[in-house]
Amino acid sequence: MSAGLLFLRVVVGLVFFAHGAQKLFGWWGGPGLQGTKGWLAGMGFRMPGPMALTVAVSEASGLLFAVGFLTPLAALLMASSMVVAIGSVSWRNGFWITSQGYEYNLVLAVVPVAFAATGPGRYSIDHALNWDDNLSGTSWGVAVLVLAVVGALFVLTVMREPRTAAAA
């Protein structure tokens, strides 16, 4: 079981990190912080500079997730970024990814929540530091889920300009 958790954690964590590095550093053809700032401004987000940094760091926290360090924190940042992505980009397109829906983002949001509930596994820094027993469990999973949804709702309602019927 620990090898399976390691494999899933590393793959999903590195996918998140790669997306964050695109937004943060412009790596792998990404837009960098300035491009991310412009993209967020175009979607009506207030304070697009700090928002760009927040999005980039949230996704780049996948590196913490991949190595299993501070797993609940990484899980919260990752899940939050996906809930915001669902609410701001893909929800209106329906479920299926083939229609640019939220299917993929939902999976990427659920995986870190599940790890917050189960723990990162034996092959993790949290386990090596003997933190995993204190930093995982049902209450951690529920807390990550609730905080991700509440935080995303705040971002989507307070940190975004209201959309007019013509713009929607």
Side-chain angles (χ1 to χ4, degrees), residues 1-139:
M1 181 165 64
S2 291
L5 292 175
L6 172 67
F7 183 70
L8 182 60
R9 200 183 69 239
V10 167
V11 169
V12 171
L14 291 180
V15 166
F16 267 95
F17 172 73
H19 282 275
Q22 284 183 309
K23 291 174 181 74
L24 193 59
F25 306 117
W27 293 355
W28 303 297
L33 276 177
Q34 286 304 313
T36 303
K37 177 182 173 183
W39 175 63
L40 292 169
M43 288 195 304
F45 282 97
R46 295 181 170 114
M47 300 172 35
M51 287 292 296
L53 184 60
T54 300
V55 169
V57 169
S58 291
E59 291 183 3
S61 71
L63 191 57
L64 292 175
F65 190 76
V67 298
F69 183 59
L70 300 174
T71 303
L73 174 63
L76 174 61
L77 294 170
M78 294 162 54
S80 297
S81 70
M82 289 298 97
V83 176
V84 171
I86 289 168
S88 62
V89 177
S90 56
W91 182 262
R92 67 181 167 269
N93 299 323
F95 180 73
W96 301 111
I97 190 71
T98 52
S99 299
Q100 298 180 348
Y102 61 90
E103 170 188 10
Y104 176 66
N105 291 336
L106 178 63
V107 171
L108 289 179
V110 169
V111 168
V113 171
F115 270 88
T118 63
R122 183 180 346 155
Y123 306 119
S124 66
I125 293 174
D126 286 349
H127 181 77
L129 295 172
N130 203 28
W131 291 357
D132 53 340
D133 287 339
N134 296 322
L135 292 178
S136 64
T138 303
S139 59

